[in-house]
Amino acid sequence: MLQLEGAKTNTIKTKTVILACGSAASPSSGSDGSGYNLVKRLGIRVVKPLPALTALESDKKNMKLATGVRASGSVKIMAAGRVVSEDTGEIQFTDYGISGIPVFQVSRFAVRALEEGQKVEAQVDVAADIKEDELVSMLKCAVNTRKHQSVSESLSGMFNKKLVMMICKEIGIEGNSSASDINDDICQKLAKHMKSLRYHITGYKSNDYAQVCQGGVDVSELNDNLESVNNPGIFFAGELMDIDGRCGGYNLQWAWSSGAVAAKSAFDYCNRQE
Ligand SMILES: Cc1cc2nc3c(=O)[nH]c(=O)nc-3n(C[C@H](O)[C@H](O)[C@H](O)COP(=O)(O)OP(=O)(O)OC[C@H]3O[C@@H](n4cnc5c(N)ncnc54)[C@H](O)[C@@H]3O)c2cc1C
């Protein structure tokens, strides 16, 4: 018979328990990470919970110029000079850094690398579908046919004006300057920069904002029935365990699937005790 102390005034005697307390991500939605303490009291190892599927913070100069812009592109995370993850989709430019689904997808690797003290950089390509030489030709064509407009206006059919203002600033020209001043060399520089916007990643949005946690109950402490090896009769389900997935329903699927395994295993365990 297992005996777990729950609320101070209430002790429940039971043959088996399924722990499904969720993670520390998004505490306002219910689970606040208190389940980890319960697990630790059983002597089960917990891998440090860290945010995953979260936004990344940067100290990039001029990034506030593009606040609020959403652009289709790719993001690549470099940790200690090595590509550790990349994804494509709609990137959101914010006043603190970068966000959006592709950034969420790569964030767990950036967070882990930062925790390990590595230098982390995000490289954003806002013209991922276009080769650099083609992009140069497109930029030349746009500025040459709209000489009477500003650079940012002349390119506004291709890129968000605020994004162009930021990119221009970074290569040392004013986005408000005349398109007629933009020569082939500048088009080359613009294209190169658009394909490799560099963000030094200095931090990440905390568990308060993350959708999922990486870390949790060390799965080496569990058997195939999701039962604690050293605490027979204690089963686990969902995000409380050190398992996290990409955006796309994988985390919910894991919660449901592991819940089914844990429930069946606990049922079988009870029957064996009778
Ligand atoms: C904003 C947001 C969007 C998301 N979008 C997606 C998505 O699109 N696709 C996807 O796959 N995943 C998504 N997720 C992640 C997904 O919701 C979780 O991975 C999943 O809900 C985890 O299920 P769970 O049952 O393990 O934990 P939870 O759903 O967190 O449930 C845990 C429950 O246990 C309760 N509890 C906690 N501690 C205790 C305790 N000590 N005692 C008693 N009860 C306790 C909590 O109140 C809660 O009801 C999203 C998460 C967030 C926050």
Side-chain angles (χ1 to χ4, degrees):
M1 189 72 86
L2 293 167
Q3 189 164 335
L4 273 186
E5 279 187 25
K8 273 183 191 157
T9 53
N10 195 9
T11 297
I12 301 165
K13 289 188 176 176
T14 175
K15 288 179 190 166
T16 183
V17 173
I18 300 174
L19 293 176
C21 307
S23 73
S26 197
S28 60
S29 66
S31 54
D32 59 1
S34 58
Y36 301 132
N37 296 332
L38 207 55
V39 172
K40 284 179 191 162
R41 278 169 47 199
L42 295 167
I44 296 172
R45 202 172 88 85
V46 172
V47 178
K48 185 178 179 183
L50 292 169
L53 302 185
T54 196
L56 297 175
E57 297 171 342
S58 175
D59 58 2
K60 184 180 176 64
K61 228 175 135 189
N62 304 317
M63 67 182 179
K64 288 189 170 63
L65 289 175
T67 297
V69 173
R70 291 164 183 252
S72 159
S74 68
V75 58
K76 202 184 273 185
I77 296 296
M78 317 279 295
R82 201 169 57 85
V83 178
V84 291
S85 184
E86 55 185 304
D87 204 67
T88 54
E90 190 180 73
I91 295 161
Q92 291 176 27
F93 297 83
T94 72
D95 58 351
Y96 59 79
I98 44 175
S99 186
I101 299 292
V103 173
F104 278 20
Q105 304 285 36
V106 297
S107 64
R108 75 182 308 290
F109 300 94
V111 170
R112 180 64 62 190
L114 284 172
E115 271 294 303
E116 290 169 0
Q118 295 177 32
K119 183 171 181 260
V120 179
E121 188 179 77
Q123 284 182 21
V124 174
D125 180 346
V126 289
D129 295 339
I130 311 169
K131 287 192 187 129
E132 193 172 314
D133 53 345
E134 288 170 13
L135 181 59
V136 174
S137 305
M138 290 165 74
L139 295 176
K140 281 183 193 172
C141 177
V143 292
N144 287 332
T145 50
R146 297 184 180 86
K147 284 181 190 296
H148 57 288
Q149 293 180 338
S150 68
V151 192
S152 58
E153 279 165 352
S154 71
L155 301 181
S156 61
M158 294 164 64
F159 297 101
N160 183 289
K161 209 173 151 184
K162 283 170 81 176
L163 189 61
V164 177
M165 293 295 274
M166 181 184 82
I167 292 167
C168 284
K169 190 96 178 165
E170 290 196 345
I171 64 160
I173 60 170
E174 283 304 322
N176 290 327
S177 57
S178 170
S180 60
D181 295 338
I182 305 302
N183 59 28
D184 289 0
D185 277 356
I186 296 176
C187 285
Q188 195 90 46
K189 270 191 193 168
L190 277 171
K192 203 171 192 59
H193 212 71
M194 284 167 167
K195 293 199 68 68
S196 185
L197 291 173
R198 287 164 186 265
Y199 285 77
H200 172 223
I201 301 300
T202 51
Y204 46 83
K205 287 290 174 194
S206 70
N207 276 327
D208 286 352
Y209 305 93
Q211 288 193 356
V212 171
C213 261
Q214 52 183 314
V217 172
D218 187 338
V219 289
S220 68
E221 298 254 10
L222 310 180
N223 64 22
D224 289 350
N225 295 329
L226 302 180
E227 180 182 20
S228 165
V229 174
N230 296 321
N231 301 269
I234 307 263
F235 296 86
F236 290 88
E239 217 188 300
L240 182 62
M241 286 175 274
D242 179 17
I243 291 182
D244 59 286
R246 291 164 57 83
C247 293
Y250 301 103
N251 293 290
L252 283 170
Q253 182 60 58
W254 167 244
W256 297 325
S257 301
S258 59
V261 170
K264 177 165 189 325
S265 305
F267 180 74
D268 292 345
Y269 179 88
C270 281
N271 284 340
R272 283 200 304 276
Q273 303 303 304
E274 279 166 4

